[in-house]
Amino acid sequence: MAKIQIHVNGLKHDTDCDPATPLAVFLREEMNLRGTKIGCGNGECGACTVAMSGRAVCSCLVPLGRTVGHHIETIESLGGPDDLHPIQRKLVERGAFQCGFCTPGVVMSLITLLRRNPKPTDTDIRVALQGNLCRCSGYVKLLETISEIVREGLHER
Amino acid sequence: MSAEFRVIGQPRPQLEGPAKVSGQAAYTHDITLPDMLYGAILRSPYPHARIRSVDLAKALTMPGVVAAVAGTDFPNLKYVNAGPVFADRHAMARDKVRFIGEEVAAVAAETLAEAQAALAVIAVDYVPLPAVFEVEAALGADAPEIHEKPDLPRNVAQQSVSDFGDVEQAFADADHVFDATFEHGIVAPVCLETNGVLARYDTENDDLTLWAPTQAPFFVRKEIAHVLDLPLEKVHIRSVVIGGGFGGKSQAPEPIAIAAMLAIKAGRPVKILLDRQAEFLSGKTDHAKKMRVRSAVAADGTLLGRHTEFWVDNGAYTHMGPAYISAVRQRTCNLYRVGAAGFDGKLVHTNKVSGGSYRGMGSPQIIWAIETQIDEIAERLGKDKLEYRIAIANRSGDRTPQGWEIGTCALAECLEEAGRRIGWAEKKHAMPPNRGIGFASMINPSVGVLYAEGNFACVSIDLLEDGGLRVGTQSADCGTSQNTVMGQFVAEELGLDTDVIDVLHMDTDETPPDLGSAASRVTFVSGNAAIKTAKTFRAELVNRLARHWEVPAAEINFADGIASYKDDNARRLTLAEIAVLEGPFRVEDRYDIDLPRPDPKTGYGHYAATYGFGAQAVEVEIDPATGHVTVHKVVVVQDIGRVINPLALEGQMQGGIVQGIGMALREELIFDQGAPVNASLISYKAPRIMDTPRIETVFIETNDPAGPYGAKAGGEHSINPTPAAIANAVAQATGERFRKLPITAADILQATKDKAPLDLKPWKRPYNLEVATARALYPAVLFPGLRKLGAAVGRKPKPKSDYHYVRPRDLSDALRELAMPDRKTKVMAGGTDLQVGLRQGVYDAGMVVDIASLDELRGIEITEDKITIGGAMTIAEIVEREDIRAMHPMLSEGFAKIATAQIRNVATIAGDLSQEKRCWFFRSGAQCYKAGGVSCPCYAVLGDNRHHSILGAGRCAAPCVADAAPILTALEATIIVAGPTGERRIAMRDFYVWSGETTVAPTEIIRAAEIPRESCFNTQYFAKSAGWDGDFADASVAVKLGWNGSRLATANIALGAVSPLPMRARQAENFLLASDLSEVAIRIAASKSVEGALPLSSNAHKTNLLVNLTERAIRRCIAQ
């Protein structure tokens, strides 16, 4: 099988994985990037959201073969637990999530939104995150925290 | 917040936050072990059947397979769950299956694909038995017997009948009697992390080690040791991060014992993860109930008595059903001041997935029933519904009919504050139309006495080498911040900051016993244990230093992490120095709930050390056109005793309330002959971020003497009054009482439509008579006949996970791939439907050709007379084009309503048009007409058909839900298709053929959609109604009106999601063109959109919905 070159978090990798493999499975199993979660495998919950050439996509519905020519960014491209991105730090401080299983996907949806639209309205934020199901938080603190992030311009740092 | 505390009352972010937000937290899904195998479970396709045999021989010969197990490989022992008298479930089905999805066999193999392939060759010899799905039918004398429980009536798992006080007399003395019956369906916990397990068996020491997301490691360990007949000390549960619980992970999920047995057989670690469908199919749920509530009321409103007769749907096996019986009992007897109370409850088996537990354990729904009646009492007696509640609120010093002795209680204050914050006094006389405000209260024991093993908690504190402290608890933090709160208790008690304290949860080797995180018990029980252990730790520390320093212990001071003796600088040590001096050490202690147990049968007696109270006020608005309810604001006022961590507590309140919104308005598992048909996160409609209202959270601190620092429980309290308050608000807004939850938009539309009945003329379509006759024959003749015939000769849906993926260089390369004979090839554009559909078995392909990146299909070209959109342009790319928005606003606004941002970034215009139709029977693998061919029946005719077609349905009732279809139809677009012999152009009106198929051949590719630019002024509007914003439409309408000055020149009205193919509403268009565009004319024109409709049994609301949407769209077009 022909090799596929995949570009993840700034690095290029060659793989001979089946090009039909969902990107989410490849990231988790082959690259050990387990921050990308799989909550449904059908594009319904958004837990597996990554950025593909700057756009939020459900990586469970992107076949590996299609990523050629695209840059994939996962939650691991931001800060680790000891050097969190200011957005991540704010989400922790404000209790914006609880179980955390949806959180990497939420962060990736948020990052892609703020890069394209640094001053989103409440509606813009809700539209961007409608695909990210969260069962714990009721989204209230998440919405409040994002408003604060936007107000403080944390994403521009 | 009081300054008397150091960390109590402070917002403390959760300890695990940084690991979670950076993706580094290790959930069970993320953990692997060397040499690990993957397990897969074979599930019963029958709701009720005898198992003659399970043959694993062939599976064991399959590639990669290392072990396989069936029911008889397990010891003949049953899970204990709610207690030995209720035990009725083996680790795996042995001689019988009792619900669709029950575990029948399992395989461990080198890869998941190999394990799944091996399942397919396991031969199970079933003898199907008659099944029963409804409680009433299950109680019938001739109902099939699901379990043999000789001491109880047929299919009854538990019965609880009693009167506390003279209930009969209360009803005899009553001036008013209220009597109504309430029902609700089954809600699923929907943890984002599905259940899973990693099991390792160490054959040298016979040690079983488990990593699994469970709320109760203590409970899991006990159950697993029991059903596998292992010594308790040989079962070890390790710490993991847990992706949500809500009760859904509070028992021992079946995959754990199964993975353990596979690991024992294989001698290698085995991991099983449930996929989302299996989670819905087999994960335990809330219990459905039917409740007849009667209230005996004196003329002045005094509640003389209350009686609830109720039936709890237990599903196939008993897990936590008895707790649901208890929850109804408790609310019946204790919510508001009531003189006497009685109940008669039955827990009834049906052949459906077993009930487990879900946040609130059935309390939210019995509270809804009672609170509905409270509203009705206030209405009948002419009392203000808030003032009446305040008058009858429980108060400190009360003793309830059940014998509860109410200590601290701020319910009346909670209600008053909720009323103030929602603005009841100002709004109640000036409520705008379609708006309503509702109130409801809750009472919950802040952890009652349970069974012996649940009435205590232990906590350990380790002084670590570096001077840090590690608090150990066997309860499990599912995301609630309880670990953080435990750390706060210890920090407060020891005068430390939380940053020196780490918390280890779950680990049964490293932490001492505790029942676990259920029934909102951790803050109270484990919290008290943490405080007690911290005191013991301080004593141990001081005693050790006293020995060392040879000074009296009483004179050693320990504060701010420093131990000192008077002003003696030589006797002054930090925790780190103490750790060096003494070495690391550990203390453990235990807290017991010291109360007499209530009567185990009736539940009579004082039950909890303290009781939690709260009130909620909700303001809603109804869209009368769609029945959609918008929750504008929720106020929760909670008597919480003492706030320990406001950040965590507010989160618990908000999360529970939003779950309550789902429970009130949308969430329900829908079953067809025992199979859940909406086992997906699209059709099971959990709340999304668009649904989040403003939530105001207020805490009243009553400083309960029994609570840790005065705290009461909180976790489940938030959801308890929410559905009731919403229902009461909906009742005010609509003038209708609903006695079934969820109260869906369809229910509201159906209830209010009688006020404006439609003049349906179904016979205007000649084939309708034929269809109506066929439908009449369905129950007795056609459905059973076709089902049998289809099973014999029809095509069977084949779920596919392995197919070849091809990415062609260019369009001609793609067409060549498609033209190759003898290959089942499918074109994949975005692939958001195709890849899912292949797994569901709705598509059959051995190869997919990915056209998403083909240059010939990309790009948007705008000329003077037309817009040409490449077939592979994504929905997002189209929506973002301002020039398209200026020309055809309906296209941009309508496409923006398709699915979610992530899907719009991938899905294409060609794919949206070509997606398979939506029908939950078809999508869940039914061998129906569409899946299996002409020999098979349509399941929608007799099943739950709320989403199906109302127009033009014949053999198949699945609607075409592509939003692009009505929009492009109204815009009179042309689809350009490339094929082996060149291009052809298809007008939208000819694009779909009967039964929703398109006219695009398997060898063709949609190259572009061509949309004419308008020469004259036109106005457009796309109206859509769906379960949630981004869901597939229940009905939609695209309207484009062309104007010649102020005169209407053209009218295009296209309907979506109401018929197998998008339809132009010609009669409506013609009427409108000939009319004076008056209010009345618009309504009549709109009502002509459903001319010829022939609704199914439960989708008549869609006729009204369609008319209302059409009216709305026409009005918007005229107003522009």
Side-chain angles (χ1 to χ4, degrees), chain A residues 4-15 31 69-71:
Chain A
I4 295 172
Q5 189 171 66
I6 173 163
H7 187 189
V8 181
N9 297 339
L11 296 172
K12 296 199 160 89
H13 308 261
D14 289 320
T15 173
M31 298 198 65
H70 291 283
H71 182 210

Side-chain angles (χ1 to χ4, degrees), chain B residues 1039-1082:
Chain B
V1039 177
K1040 188 188 71 152
L1041 301 182
W1043 301 89
N1044 189 348
S1046 63
R1047 195 180 62 81
L1048 183 63
T1050 60
N1052 294 10
I1053 301 175
L1055 314 175
V1058 290
S1059 55
L1061 62 172
M1063 294 172 85
R1064 283 282 289 270
R1066 298 283 183 192
Q1067 295 182 51
E1069 292 173 358
N1070 292 338
F1071 186 90
L1072 199 65
L1073 282 170
S1075 82
D1076 58 358
L1077 301 184
S1078 66
E1079 296 281 305
V1080 178
I1082 293 169

Side-chain angles (χ1 to χ4, degrees), chain A residues 1 4 18-22 28-29 32-47 49-50 52 54-58 60-70 75-76 78-82 84 87-89 91-107 109 112 116 123 125-144 146, chain B residues 13-14 16-25 27 29-32 38 187-194 241-244 246 271 273 275-276 358-359 478-480 646-648 650-652 654-656 658-659 667 680-682 684 686-693 695 803-805 807 828-832 835-836 839-840 850-853 874 876-877 880 899-906 1028-1030:
Chain A
M1 199 168 284
I4 295 172
D18 181 351
T21 310
R28 288 177 54 80
E29 304 295 330
N32 205 29
L33 294 173
R34 293 176 184 271
T36 299
K37 305 300 177 195
I38 299 178
C40 70
N42 291 332
E44 298 167 354
C45 77
T49 303
V50 300
M52 179 158 137
R55 285 183 185 269
V57 299
C58 288
C60 69
L61 289 185
V62 175
L64 186 59
R66 189 183 289 171
T67 65
V68 176
H70 291 283
I75 188 70
E76 287 87 355
L78 301 170
D82 299 322
L84 296 177
I87 289 179
Q88 291 172 301
R89 196 172 313 127
L91 292 167
V92 174
E93 281 168 13
R94 292 289 181 264
F97 57 88
Q98 295 180 21
C99 87
F101 201 81
C102 71
T103 309
V106 168
V107 172
S109 281
T112 54
R116 299 170 75 87
T123 306
I125 294 165
R126 289 181 191 243
V127 166
L129 292 174
Q130 181 71 347
N132 293 86
L133 188 63
C134 165
R135 189 61 158 168
C136 298
S137 74
Y139 312 97
V140 182
K141 288 194 180 295
L142 178 61
L143 284 165
E144 288 168 2
I146 297 172
Chain B
Q14 60 170 305
E16 304 81 1
K20 287 177 177 176
V21 81
S22 57
Q24 298 302 306
Y27 298 83
H29 286 213
D30 305 328
I31 299 172
T32 55
Y38 292 84
V187 172
V190 192
C191 302
L192 257 282
E193 175 205 32
T194 57
V241 178
I242 302 171
F246 324 115
K271 184 176 190 173
L273 297 181
D275 64 19
R276 184 53 64 183
Y358 176 60
R359 202 173 200 162
C478 301
T480 59
L647 200 61
E650 284 163 14
Q652 286 302 298
Q654 294 157 350
V658 172
Q659 288 182 2
E667 288 183 45
S680 86
L681 296 175
I682 297 179
Y684 184 90
R688 302 258 166 176
I689 200 165
M690 288 285 185
D691 306 305
T692 288
I695 298 180
Y803 43 83
H804 294 291
Y805 169 93
R807 200 177 184 220
M828 177 160 82
T832 55
Q835 291 172 91
V836 179
R839 267 174 254 152
Q840 291 170 332
D850 186 346
I851 59 162
S853 321
T874 66
E877 288 167 335
E880 284 160 11
T900 61
Q902 289 96 320
I903 300 299
R904 289 192 295 274
N905 280 335
V906 174
W1028 51 276
D1029 221 317

